[in-house]
Amino acid sequence: MKTYLITGCAGFIGSNFVYYMLDKYQDIRLVNLDKLTYAGNLENLKGVEEDPRHIFVRGDICDQELVAKLIADYDPDFIINFAAESHVDRSIANPMIFVDTNVRGTVNLLQCCKEAWYDAGQKTWKKGKKYLQVSTDEVYGALGPEGYFTETTPINPHSPYSASKASADHYVKAFHDTYGMPMNITRCSNNYGARQSPEKLVPLMINNVRNHKSLPVYGDGMQIRDWLYVEDHCKAIDMVASNGKVGEVYNIGGHNEKPNIFIVKTIIEQVGKRLNDPEINEGLIKHVEDRLGHDRRYGIDPSKIKEDLGWYPETPFEVGIVKTID
Ligand code: NAD
């Protein structure tokens, strides 16, 4: 039986990962460490409340004593760090909390892994152990109209959020380069799907449309993101944890580059159709002042994960959004 210490899994992507893994593997144990910030929600885990394979622990990834105890008690094969402050607008308003959780929290996890898994005398690591850092394509900065992010694109973050994620990635790489720590980093594009926090673009627009509220769109709405259906992302993380080459970074995108305004119009169309409501129309769109330092385009080159693992996420946005609305 494999044991996973997973962090931040009362949040959006992590809770989807819990369902994905429990559905896929009978013989598994997931120890879920989450601080339950505004973004964590135990409602997301209602469906696994009674499942003995999932153990929920409320706590902070910055808490050295707690993390060390969880590693000692459960002896995880994998540690997968989803926990983060993840909202760009909040990072612009209050960058310090992003340093605490995203940077200090990650370094604490790395340090605890090293304490438990590394034999400094022999310079060896316990067999079968791996640390996986869930990161973001935002660490690469922005693209022009052409080209894609590859795993060797220089790191060039623009927001306090992406700067903190980039810093965490550097620490993960440093633990690999300095101590030989077995690790992977995954950098994904914008996720959407069930259980996403209501302040993010897709759920915000779905809720507003349902309630005939105006739909705030930053600037001209032509900021392009590569939209990744969350269940595809969970599948990719599982594949990288089990079969990714140690020490490698993997970019994970959705093959779905779309401007924000397209996302909003698709949601209007799909929700309008379901509710058969003529008041749901593009008149609800309201362009508002653009976000500071707003990156124009992200796009992901999928070749590496395809080559190493033989699979790439491929749910089209139009299919994923219908599942999300339902
Ligand atoms: P989320 O904000 O929905 O959830 C974050 C979770 O982390 C919450 O449950 C929260 O309670 C928990 N948490 C926060 N601080 C903590 C701490 N100090 N200790 C323990 N738990 C803590 O985030 P998400 O959208 O699910 O993102 C998960 C990961 O994926 C993050 O690392 C994020 O940077 C990355 N990511 C997300 C997206 C996206 O589109 N959502 C895109 C790229 C990368």
Side-chain angles (χ1 to χ4, degrees), residues 11-13 34-35 37 40 60-61 82 86 101 161 165 188 191:
F12 165 47
I13 301 172
D34 196 297
K35 188 177 174 183
T37 66
D60 193 328
I61 59 167
F82 293 88
S86 70
T101 286
Y161 162 67
K165 294 293 289 185
C188 67
N191 284 226

Side-chain angles (χ1 to χ4, degrees), residues 7-15 33-41 44 59-62 81-87 100-102 105 133-138 161 165 187-192 195-197 199-200 227 233:
T7 67
C9 290
F12 165 47
I13 301 172
S15 62
L33 172 63
D34 196 297
K35 188 177 174 183
L36 295 182
T37 66
Y38 79 94
N41 185 353
N44 288 340
D60 193 328
I61 59 167
C62 298
N81 182 25
F82 293 88
E85 286 293 333
S86 70
H87 197 282
D100 286 341
T101 286
N102 299 1
Q133 175 77 0
V134 178
S135 185
T136 169
D137 62 354
E138 295 191 35
Y161 162 67
K165 294 293 289 185
R187 295 190 179 130
C188 67
S189 55
N190 275 40
N191 284 226
Y192 68 101
R195 305 181 196 92
Q196 189 163 24
S197 159
E199 65 188 3
K200 298 285 172 89
W227 290 87
H233 185 198

Side-chain angles (χ1 to χ4, degrees), residues 185-221:
I185 296 170
T186 56
R187 295 190 179 130
C188 67
S189 55
N190 275 40
N191 284 226
Y192 68 101
R195 305 181 196 92
Q196 189 163 24
S197 159
E199 65 188 3
K200 298 285 172 89
L201 181 72
V202 168
L204 178 77
M205 294 299 158
I206 294 174
N207 286 337
N208 283 13
V209 165
R210 281 190 176 132
N211 295 306
H212 298 167
K213 283 193 182 160
S214 74
L215 308 173
V217 171
Y218 281 130
D220 60 4

Side-chain angles (χ1 to χ4, degrees), residues 85-280:
E85 286 293 333
S86 70
H87 197 282
V88 175
D89 290 338
R90 285 177 188 257
S91 81
I92 294 168
N94 179 11
M96 279 316 287
I97 177 97
F98 286 71
V99 177
D100 286 341
T101 286
N102 299 1
V103 186
R104 279 191 56 240
T106 299
V107 177
N108 184 50
L109 292 174
L110 296 170
Q111 191 62 20
C112 290
C113 288
K114 182 172 152 273
E115 289 295 318
W117 293 348
Y118 184 56
D119 181 332
Q122 301 292 321
K123 296 197 168 39
T124 53
W125 288 76
K126 279 192 182 167
K127 289 234 167 335
K129 307 289 185 190
K130 192 190 263 184
Y131 177 92
L132 192 155
Q133 175 77 0
V134 178
S135 185
T136 169
D137 62 354
E138 295 191 35
V139 299
Y140 297 124
L143 290 166
E146 302 291 322
Y148 294 96
F149 295 134
T150 71
E151 287 77 359
T152 55
T153 299
I155 302 295
N156 183 23
H158 292 160
S159 72
Y161 162 67
S162 52
S164 68
K165 294 293 289 185
S167 173
D169 286 8
H170 285 314
Y171 275 102
V172 178
K173 181 178 178 300
F175 270 63
H176 172 262
D177 295 355
T178 308
Y179 310 111
M181 178 165 150
M183 64 73 167
N184 288 120
I185 296 170
T186 56
R187 295 190 179 130
C188 67
S189 55
N190 275 40
N191 284 226
Y192 68 101
R195 305 181 196 92
Q196 189 163 24
S197 159
E199 65 188 3
K200 298 285 172 89
L201 181 72
V202 168
L204 178 77
M205 294 299 158
I206 294 174
N207 286 337
N208 283 13
V209 165
R210 281 190 176 132
N211 295 306
H212 298 167
K213 283 193 182 160
S214 74
L215 308 173
V217 171
Y218 281 130
D220 60 4
M222 289 308 292
Q223 305 83 2
I224 294 175
R225 303 291 180 262
D226 178 359
W227 290 87
L228 171 63
Y229 186 52
V230 68
E231 288 178 23
D232 284 344
H233 185 198
C234 294
K235 181 170 176 177
I237 288 175
D238 175 32
M239 291 172 84
V240 171
S242 300
N243 297 315
K245 291 184 186 161
V246 166
E248 294 292 321
V249 175
Y250 289 98
N251 288 348
I252 307 168
H255 256 324
N256 278 303
E257 274 194 45
K258 311 278 183 210
N260 285 349
I261 192 74
F262 171 88
I263 304 302
V264 175
K265 288 182 178 175
T266 307
I267 291 171
I268 293 171
E269 187 191 324
Q270 291 299 334
V271 177
K273 242 193 231 168
R274 265 163 191 68
L275 299 181
N276 197 15
D277 180 347
E279 280 184 55
I280 294 180

